[in-house]
Amino acid sequence: MQKKRSWAEPYKIKMVEPVYMTDLNYRIKAIEEAGYNTFLLKSKDVYIDLLTDSGTSAMSDRQWAGMMLGDEAYAGSRNFYNLEEAIQKNYGYKYIVPTHQGRGAEHLISQIMIKKGDIIPGNMYFTTTRLHQELAGGTFVDVIVPEAHDSESTYLFKGDIDLDKLEKVIEENGADKIPYIAMATTVNMAGGQPISMANLKALRELTNKYGIKIIHDMTRVAENAFMNQQHEEGYANTPIAEIVREICDLTDGATMSAKKDALVNIGGFLALNDEDIFDQARNLVVIYEGLHTYGGLAGRDMEAMAIGIKESLSDDHMRARVGQVQYLGQKLIDAGIPIVKPIGTHGIFLDAKKFLPHVPQEHFPAQTLSAEIYLDSGVRTMERGVVSAGRDKKTGEHRFPKLELVRLTIPRRVYTQAHMDVICESVCEVYSNRENIKGLEMIYEPEYLRFFQARFKKR
Ligand code: P61
């Protein structure tokens, strides 16, 4: 490997897409019409879009060329077999069922494996994952290490599982009540934090002892592997592709939203090693997604995914991808902005409780901050706090998470270093005016995943 200096991108730009600049009066109207919810803004009203890294990556010329090779046969598309081969070769899982995106795979695995009254321990919840577990009759139990809930803790592997806590949950409920452990690489809601190989190996040993499966949310597995390579003893010289394979080999199956790591605008899959579960999934997918050789996707989408999987495992790609996120994070830290530390891999998470200490959590500080950043500059971010956490299934009360965050999510291969500078300038501007910012009141609340469509008004 050549000695490298900065994280500069291993590509050059061939095509550009204009973005829109707006003035303050325009944005005041736009955010009011959107009910102070950045999910309800129109994309044309956004300057730099940091809502999500999901489906927002720039595809490569190879992927676009692959799109032209779409085989749109209803059954047995050649692109399906290319995708199957890419997954088997790079991730090592035996069987795959394509789905339209990650939650399609979560739906299938939850319906097949979870029975009413089951417990699913995992390293912090994810919104769609937990909801599918609950809809199948299960209850999610958080067994992530306590450091993950502390935005100031600089522990490097905040995605680790607290194995003592997990063993207690197994002993208390009985292994037969636990269909699988939900293990994510990286942990989105904790700030894009990785799990260590050491912890994963110990988890495998513990689950083997009790005969419990591990289902891997591998949405950002290559980013996790990059952090293992950078920070974990024994991995400095191991290519990301090999670390990814080792992670997958320690698990029994996986759900994937290919809209992140795998660099496509749409797509996902369920991957399994157990033939019986695969048989059930292959049967179920035809009800909800489509035939088992397309799962809701066009042939061209599967081809782009097969190529994107390979590109995502390149060390040079990952170094630039995470390098850009870390560049922005470090700039914000240097400016004294409270963010989740250490800096994660797919975005920067502002600590809204520290940013707006005078706004109580029931006035939605992260939702408020996200709206204020949009007002300042047209930069769109996402609330990851009490609104996202939703209501307790039993009591109906708000869940008040320890982490009340605003996510500045960086799409892959899309924005430049100058964009990162502008984002930092805008956050600093809002920070300097923070004392004048008041909270919000929720005036419309949908039943499921309320953060997508809830509406607010100013207090
Ligand atoms: C995101 F506000 N993530 O981060 P699907 N697992 C993991 C994900 O990050 C993930 C899915 C499963 C999104 C999109 C999104 O509350 C929200 O392909 C670790 O989106 O179905 C998705 O994959 C689900 C945004 C999802 C949200 C749910 O922006």
Side-chain angles (χ1 to χ4, degrees):
M1 214 188 283
Q2 241 186 341
K3 197 164 178 222
K4 299 192 196 77
R5 291 181 182 154
S6 100
W7 53 267
E9 295 82 353
Y11 55 82
K12 57 185 176 175
I13 297 165
K14 176 140 63 180
M15 191 186 282
V16 297
E17 176 185 342
V19 290
Y20 303 91
M21 310 262 207
T22 52
D23 61 26
L24 180 61
N25 283 335
Y26 185 94
R27 292 194 294 273
I28 289 174
K29 214 166 142 249
I31 196 74
E32 205 180 290
E33 275 173 16
Y36 295 88
N37 184 348
T38 52
F39 277 108
L40 299 178
L41 285 167
K42 292 180 181 137
S43 154
K44 74 170 179 55
D45 297 338
V46 172
Y47 169 37
I48 301 175
D49 203 346
L50 308 184
L51 184 70
T52 177
D53 64 331
S54 180
T56 53
S57 298
M59 290 208 296
S60 67
D61 52 1
R62 315 295 141 115
Q63 287 177 291
W64 279 107
M67 298 282 279
M68 295 305 292
L69 301 176
D71 169 5
E72 307 306 342
Y74 188 87
S77 157
R78 85 172 77 88
N79 310 120
F80 166 75
Y81 296 104
N82 291 346
L83 174 63
E84 184 182 55
E85 192 190 335
I87 293 168
Q88 288 169 341
K89 245 194 184 148
N90 293 291
Y91 300 140
Y93 296 113
K94 282 192 199 147
Y95 308 109
I96 77 138
V97 178
T99 57
H100 76 286
Q101 57 183 81
R103 69 198 73 180
E106 291 169 352
H107 176 212
L108 298 178
I109 199 70
S110 302
Q111 289 299 323
I112 293 166
M113 292 189 70
I114 299 172
K115 294 184 306 300
K116 198 164 185 296
D118 278 354
I119 303 286
I120 307 94
N123 50 352
M124 204 175 267
Y125 85 99
F126 188 71
T127 53
T128 55
T129 322
R130 180 176 64 191
L131 182 56
H132 278 299
Q133 292 162 355
E134 289 175 355
L135 290 172
T139 301
F140 173 80
V141 176
D142 187 10
V143 291
I144 203 163
V145 290
E147 288 88 341
H149 294 279
D150 174 3
S151 70
E152 287 292 326
S153 160
T154 52
Y155 181 57
L156 278 171
F157 293 101
K158 283 181 168 179
D160 279 359
I161 287 176
D162 180 337
L163 297 168
D164 291 338
K165 186 168 178 195
L166 172 61
E167 189 153 25
K168 227 183 244 160
V169 172
I170 300 173
E171 289 293 339
E172 275 166 13
N173 294 281
D176 58 328
K177 279 266 171 260
I178 299 179
Y180 58 87
I181 310 294
M183 186 281 295
T185 52
T186 56
V187 178
N188 194 347
M189 303 298 279
Q193 304 291 333
I195 181 170
S196 65
M197 294 302 300
N199 185 256
L200 180 54
K201 286 179 195 163
L203 174 70
R204 181 72 281 180
E205 259 180 48
L206 181 70
T207 50
N208 280 348
K209 181 170 127 190
Y210 289 97
I212 298 174
K213 287 191 161 44
I214 301 174
I215 297 295
H216 172 200
D217 181 339
M218 62 180 298
T219 297
R220 296 180 183 83
V221 65
E223 292 181 7
N224 198 107
F226 176 77
M227 298 303 256
N228 300 123
Q229 187 193 56
Q230 296 302 303
H231 302 296
E232 195 162 357
E233 222 187 301
Y235 286 92
N237 297 315
T238 314
I240 287 171
E242 272 179 40
I243 303 174
V244 164
R245 183 59 196 266
E246 196 179 334
I247 293 173
C248 295
D249 285 350
L250 285 164
T251 70
D252 299 291
T255 54
M256 172 65 149
S257 170
K259 299 169 73 173
K260 285 82 166 174
D261 248 14
L263 296 159
V264 286
N265 304 123
I266 192 73
F269 58 82
L270 174 62
L272 296 158
N273 288 336
D274 182 305
E275 197 176 354
D276 178 50
I277 302 172
F278 167 61
D279 261 350
Q280 294 178 59
R282 192 164 60 160
N283 190 213
L284 206 59
V285 76
V286 301
I287 308 173
Y288 296 106
E289 308 271 327
L291 193 73
H292 58 276
T293 57
Y294 76 85
L297 297 169
R300 54 179 172 268
D301 298 328
M302 293 189 282
E303 192 63 29
M305 202 194 309
I307 297 166
I309 286 171
K310 288 171 222 153
E311 290 181 3
S312 77
L313 301 177
S314 140
D315 284 55
D316 287 340
H317 160 68
M318 201 46 76
R319 186 162 177 271
R321 189 290 184 272
V322 180
Q324 187 177 46
V325 174
Q326 307 251 326
Y327 170 82
L328 174 61
Q330 196 54 52
K331 248 182 118 75
L332 289 163
I333 291 175
D334 293 346
I337 305 294
I339 70 167
V340 173
K341 294 182 205 103
I343 302 163
T345 63
H346 70 302
I348 304 303
F349 291 68
L350 305 178
D351 185 334
K353 281 187 187 169
K354 293 209 168 74
F355 203 114
L356 300 175
H358 56 285
V359 178
Q361 205 170 6
E362 51 274 30
H363 295 181
F364 313 112
Q367 189 78 30
T368 306
L369 181 52
S370 180
E372 289 294 330
I373 294 170
Y374 173 74
L375 279 170
D376 178 71
S377 59
V379 170
R380 168 155 70 173
T381 59
M382 185 194 287
E383 192 267 6
R384 293 280 81 167
V386 59
V387 185
S388 295
R391 290 184 183 271
D392 186 275
K393 198 166 64 142
K394 289 198 187 99
T395 66
E397 295 297 319
H398 287 307
R399 290 167 165 136
F400 287 107
K402 278 205 182 128
L403 296 177
E404 176 75 20
L405 310 175
V406 171
R407 189 178 72 172
L408 282 58
T409 340
I410 311 299
R412 296 164 188 79
R413 310 193 290 206
V414 171
Y415 292 116
T416 66
Q417 186 154 331
H419 285 120
M420 299 301 119
D421 293 343
V422 169
I423 295 159
C424 181
E425 286 161 19
S426 175
V427 172
C428 290
E429 180 74 24
V430 176
Y431 193 61
S432 64
N433 290 326
R434 64 191 180 281
E435 273 146 32
N436 302 321
I437 297 173
K438 295 198 178 65
L440 295 168
E441 184 186 337
M442 201 187 308
I443 51 172
Y444 168 67
E445 180 178 0
E447 185 178 354
Y448 300 112
L449 303 176
R450 63 183 183 176
F451 52 89
F452 283 131
Q453 291 147 339
R455 300 185 71 83
F456 302 81
K457 71 172 189 194
K458 273 197 161 175
R459 286 194 170 265

